[in-house]
Amino acid sequence: ILGTIGFMLSVNVGITIVVLVVTPVSLFVASFIAKRTFSMFKAQSETRGEQTALIDEMIGNQKIVQAFGQEKDAIEKFDEINGRLQTCSLKAIFFSSITNPSTRFVNSLVYTGVGIFGALAAINGRLTVGQLSSFLSYANQYTKPFNEISGVVTELQNAIACAGRVFELIEEKSQVPEVENAVSLQHVDGKVELKDVAFSYVPEQKLIENFNLQVKPGERVAIVGPTGCGKTTVINLLMRFYDVNSGSISVEDVDIREMTRHSLRAGYGMVLQETWLRAGTIRDNITVGKPDATQEEIEAAAKACHAHSFIMRLPEGYDTVISEDGGSLSQGQKQLLCITRVMLCRPPMLILDEATSSIDTRTELKIQNAFAKLMEGRTSFIVAHRLSTIRSADVILVMKDGHIIEQGNHETLLAQNGFYATLYNSQYAM
Ligand SMILES: Nc1ncnc2c1ncn2[C@@H]1O[C@H](COP(=O)(O)OP(=O)(O)O)[C@@H](O)[C@H]1O
Ligand SMILES: [Mg+2]
């Protein structure tokens, strides 16, 4: 661009100025259209996201959709979103395709202007025909980059619209940052203390209030209570997935807000009701927390968890490849694998949140015994529905609506003849 301006100036200053004044008009036109296409590209990528989410939800939950006869509904929803996607894609592509031709059109006007002014100048004898013809080719050379830039601008608009959605996620406020010089827990015995803890997910709806608990190293703490009373919430607080609203939780006498999240979580082994398995072999899934485990260690852990026999019945044993989310395994088998994973790591503290809910009662009891042996001298928190599995806990917390209403071991709680006794008897009256 600079080169051609120099050459044009050397040929004729007057016409060069005309060229320089008119060319920005093409940029103006390009930016005018580009601004409109941006919002269309944005709508397009949003609608596309909506469509992908629907497909993911409907195909991932195919059985439920079929069981409730929702196929027609799902198709209608898809068609509606697809229709909107079609409309906004069409608009986005149409308008973005117009940008380049419009700048070319404006630049052709520049070329025409140069032709007319040049011809008049040549007639008046201020310009030779040779100069005019070289000027025209310079003018052409000069506008070319503008055309090319406008061709890329639309692609840029599309990219920026899509990137905007990615940045929305990246710029989402992250978790509460760790305090400066947060300590890293080195040795964990399992002393946990909750002092006057209050917590709620939404401010208007109080959940946990006035929660006090002292756990000595090696104690087995069981939490029972009706669904929705806040058992999982207590676990979330212990792992610091959420911060308490007031009060404090400390491990080894250090407030958990003053230690690194990593060292706190490394202290716990956690098994939840929802299983998480990744695509890969059974062995890969068991050794997540301890990648360098030997085959003997893996088998010992699997035997203790009663997973060994079903793994050996799989076509390739420990090398059987399972798909994402466990694929062909039963829910109980998936839980057994997750338990084996924790058994292999031998964490200083253990959390089981309804981790054995899909496993038959007999195997569950055996696993509890294995854990009892493993966790000897280590602290564990166990949430379970079947009271038979928590009978041997050192402390049983009976929760209701976010409060501990009874606390003690099995015998004392039964003797109190309170809520726990009612729960216990209702399970065993059957
Ligand atoms: N992420 C969340 N946001 C808002 N409310 C929640 C969230 N998770 C759980 N709750 C609510 O908190 C209460 C306690 O839930 P939870 O601790 O999971 O119960 P449970 O004792 O069955 O494990 C329930 O009423 C539930 O609706
Ligand atoms: Mg729960």
Side-chain angles (χ1 to χ4, degrees), residues 57-99:
E57 194 179 329
M58 292 305 152
I59 294 189
N61 299 304
Q62 213 181 77
K63 280 188 194 150
I64 298 169
V65 172
Q66 287 168 344
F68 285 90
Q70 295 293 304
E71 293 100 324
K72 214 169 133 250
D73 251 32
I75 291 173
E76 272 167 17
K77 243 189 241 161
F78 177 84
D79 284 344
E80 187 266 324
I81 297 177
N82 208 30
R84 273 192 285 132
L85 181 61
Q86 185 183 13
T87 317
C88 59
S89 297
L90 197 68
K91 272 193 202 156
I93 293 171
F94 178 78
F95 281 98
S96 66
S97 308
I98 272 184
T99 321

Side-chain angles (χ1 to χ4, degrees), residues 239 265-277 282-291 293 297-298 300-307 311 333-356 367-368 370-375 378-382:
M239 294 287 277
R265 290 176 190 162
Y268 285 108
M270 185 172 179
V271 187
L272 302 180
Q273 184 172 20
E274 305 92 58
T275 50
W276 177 78
L277 295 170
I282 297 276
R283 178 178 293 110
D284 291 343
N285 271 294
I286 294 179
T287 56
V288 170
K290 194 178 176 189
E297 287 175 309
I298 297 174
K303 277 179 186 151
C305 298
H306 300 269
I311 294 173
Q333 288 170 333
K334 288 189 223 172
Q335 285 191 339
L336 287 179
L337 280 186
C338 292
I339 293 169
T340 308
R341 182 148 78 192
V342 171
M343 187 70 90
L344 184 67
C345 290
R346 301 174 168 267
M349 294 186 287
L350 180 71
I351 289 175
L352 301 179
D353 188 354
E354 291 174 28
T356 47
I367 294 173
Q368 294 285 351
F371 266 123
K373 227 184 287 161
L374 172 79
M375 296 311 293
R378 302 170 196 214
T379 304
S380 49
F381 295 89
I382 299 163

Side-chain angles (χ1 to χ4, degrees), residues 227-228 230-233 235 273-274 353-354 383 385:
T227 304
K231 302 181 297 289
T232 301
T233 309
I235 304 293
Q273 184 172 20
E274 305 92 58
D353 188 354
E354 291 174 28
V383 177
H385 275 309

Side-chain angles (χ1 to χ4, degrees), residues 199-202 205 207-208 223-236 242 353-354 383 385 399 402:
F199 174 78
S200 61
Y201 291 103
V202 277
Q205 208 176 346
L207 184 58
I208 290 184
I223 308 175
V224 295
T227 304
C229 69
K231 302 181 297 289
T232 301
T233 309
V234 173
I235 304 293
N236 285 340
Y242 295 88
D353 188 354
E354 291 174 28
V383 177
H385 275 309
M399 287 186 65

